[in-house]
Amino acid sequence: MAAAVGAAAFPGAALAGTPDTDLASLRLLIGGELLAIDFYGHAATQLHGVAQVRARQALGDEKAHYAALAQLLAQS
């Protein structure tokens, strides 16, 4: 995943010609990020104090991961 997110940092890094298996893996990663966003979104409404702060931080991180992966997929 680090390679995928790292490639997203370079707008000119197109994925043309990427094998279907790599695109399938990218879609699977995006699905995982969406599940994590849902989880932390619910957790942030149920927790209090430091736990709520951490859940909100994790939610923000997951949204950033999703955005980077979605950008990669859009370039393919």
Side-chain angles (χ1 to χ4, degrees), residues 15-58:
L15 295 177
T18 302
D20 288 342
T21 54
D22 289 349
L23 292 175
S25 296
L26 182 57
R27 289 183 184 104
L28 184 60
L29 283 171
I30 288 172
E33 294 299 341
L34 290 171
L35 287 172
I37 288 168
D38 185 58
F39 173 81
Y40 286 115
H42 287 291
T45 65
Q46 300 297 317
L47 299 171
H48 302 283
V50 173
Q52 185 179 50
V53 170
R54 301 280 192 242
R56 287 182 179 166
Q57 289 172 337

